[in-house]
Amino acid sequence: MVWSTILGFAALANAAPQFGGGFGTTMLRFGCPNVVIDRLDPLVNPGAIPSPHVHQIVGGNGFNASMTTGDVAATADCTTCQFSEDFSNYWTANLYFKARNGTYKRVPQLGHALQFNDQFSTQTAGGILVYYVSAQPGQITAFKPGFRMLSGDPTMRSRPDQKLKRQNCYRCYTGPNYGGDTGAPCMDNNVDSEALPNKVCPGGIRSNILFPTCWDGKNLDSPNHQDHVAYPTTGPANFLSLGGSCPSTHPIRIPQLMYEVVWDTTKFNNKAEWPADGSQPFYLSTGDNTGLGQHADYVFGWKGDALQRAMDTSGCMGAKCANLLTQNINTAKACSVKKMVNEDEDGWLTELPGMSMPMSE
């Protein structure tokens, strides 16, 4: 994203070692190309091949249908992420275009806007831009090996309240090169929406998903992958902010984690191919035409104390912090996971990939 708040932080950060030293809030922002696009979900559907819908997965090559519930970093030997010590896995549902004739095609993705001299993230050609925010360096507890969580509800098709409006949103780009990408995500109803945009987006669609920032301090996971984490007592924190106090049941502050994905919907901007009634034509791979079911899965896999060191360091902005190791884009893109579900990924489909779709041998 390109927005004035971060540019202001960057101006201060660039003036001192460690991108700001004592400035305060730290924000890691780094790209991760896809490690695989597949119908697997080891968090919600462990062991299932295939799982009910398609995901794009980034991060370490330890990802598989039955991946460990222990230290993920010990199971991987490469990662697609810019920080080479980050073997975590991050994944979201894919987006599809439904043409007027009823067929579907997966929407491709773009890289990310140039910020903080980070050329790597502009060359990912898809994947996820990952953010970790430490709004109070020295007081934020990094995730532990085995930690997992899920943000969002894939079954949601309507939302009676707006308590999560700052946590899950879309932005309709007004033109090429991330046009209209000003201001923090999910903060301005004039430019961001909880549902998929209902109009042509000249520059594509950006989606953002944020995670809770409080942890119970005991459980690395929970049956629904959500109950062990919580929002502050005053509600979800705005991006880059600490928010209110954590509830007594979840007293430990954890990093604010956010995913960002840029969908290149420009290839489908011809309204003659949209539904005859003019309704927006995009569907998440769950079959969700509203976009309210946008969700994200996270499995922690940083090596050693790398993430904690970053969260304890003040004033980092971008993909340099606390002497964390990084890698070049070609090395990152060479990391991959074998696709397990053999089905068409990029052709025109008569239905969304799902349990009822026959798979080739």
Side-chain angles (χ1 to χ4, degrees):
M1 70 183 62
V2 184
W3 32 285
S4 56
T5 302
I6 290 301
L7 290 176
F9 283 172
L12 289 170
N14 287 332
Q18 288 299 344
F19 295 85
F23 174 64
T25 297
T26 273
M27 184 193 76
L28 302 186
R29 174 194 185 269
F30 59 96
C32 303
N34 288 321
V35 71
V36 70
I37 293 174
D38 210 346
R39 201 140 56 85
L40 300 180
D41 192 337
L43 188 62
V44 178
N45 305 107
I49 303 176
S51 65
H53 58 269
V54 178
H55 294 100
Q56 56 154 353
I57 302 101
V58 308
N61 68 342
F63 180 87
N64 63 75
S66 303
M67 63 192 298
T68 182
T69 56
D71 186 359
V72 170
T75 69
D77 57 21
C78 71
T79 177
T80 66
C81 291
Q82 187 169 4
F83 285 114
S84 57
E85 297 170 283
D86 181 13
F87 297 95
S88 307
N89 286 116
Y90 313 83
W91 64 96
T92 73
N94 280 85
L95 189 69
Y96 287 80
F97 169 75
K98 184 178 183 180
R100 186 172 295 194
N101 66 7
T103 58
Y104 297 86
K105 189 171 179 61
R106 188 174 68 86
V107 177
Q109 297 165 250
L110 296 171
H112 307 280
L114 177 63
Q115 288 287 291
F116 313 114
N117 297 314
D118 173 17
Q119 295 290 341
F120 181 106
S121 296
T122 69
Q123 301 173 69
T124 57
I128 299 173
L129 191 66
V130 178
Y131 294 77
Y132 287 86
V133 175
S134 176
Q136 195 176 44
Q139 302 298 317
I140 304 297
T141 300
F143 309 107
K144 307 299 182 185
F147 185 91
R148 301 167 161 216
M149 62 178 168
L150 168 71
S151 179
D153 180 354
T155 67
M156 185 169 287
R157 301 295 181 267
S158 64
R159 190 169 291 156
D161 57 58
Q162 291 189 319
K163 67 180 181 180
L164 293 180
K165 70 177 182 178
R166 304 302 188 212
Q167 302 296 295
N168 193 322
C169 72
Y170 301 90
R171 182 165 299 186
C172 183
Y173 282 146
T174 57
N177 299 317
Y178 317 98
D181 197 353
T182 58
C186 306
M187 295 293 293
D188 186 345
N189 291 338
N190 292 319
V191 294
D192 290 323
S193 60
E194 289 188 283
L196 281 163
N198 58 3
K199 59 184 178 182
V200 170
C201 295
I205 297 173
R206 186 188 80 194
S207 66
N208 291 93
I209 310 171
L210 288 84
F211 287 76
T213 52
C214 300
W215 175 45
D216 66 12
K218 302 173 184 177
N219 298 293
L220 299 176
D221 197 2
S222 51
N224 65 359
H225 316 295
Q226 295 182 321
D227 287 347
H228 60 307
V229 291
Y231 294 105
T233 54
T234 53
N238 293 338
F239 185 56
L240 283 178
S241 71
L242 193 63
S245 300
C246 283
S248 60
T249 54
H250 297 73
I252 307 299
R253 288 194 184 275
I254 50 179
Q256 185 179 51
L257 178 63
M258 182 177 77
Y259 297 178
E260 181 169 305
V261 180
V262 180
W263 301 105
D264 186 10
T265 57
T266 60
K267 296 173 173 58
F268 311 105
N269 279 354
N270 181 4
K271 294 202 75 172
E273 298 176 357
W274 285 30
D277 64 2
S279 59
Q280 77 86 18
F282 297 105
Y283 286 73
L284 294 174
S285 53
T286 54
D288 176 17
N289 182 231
T290 69
L292 295 174
Q294 181 174 224
H295 60 288
D297 302 71
Y298 174 66
V299 174
F300 171 80
W302 286 75
K303 287 187 66 174
D305 67 347
L307 182 61
Q308 186 64 67
R309 285 188 284 116
M311 297 296 94
D312 287 344
T313 302
S314 296
C316 298
M317 286 286 150
K320 294 183 180 179
C321 188
N323 298 316
L324 297 185
L325 302 178
T326 59
Q327 62 183 349
N328 66 48
I329 189 66
N330 292 327
T331 301
K333 285 185 174 181
C335 185
S336 65
V337 169
K338 181 181 178 182
K339 188 176 175 70
M340 298 301 296
V341 182
N342 189 10
E343 58 192 359
D344 194 346
E345 185 176 298
D346 289 315
W348 285 95
L349 309 172
T350 57
E351 61 181 333
L352 290 174
M355 297 301 286
S356 64
M357 175 171 279
M359 289 168 284
S360 56
E361 296 296 329

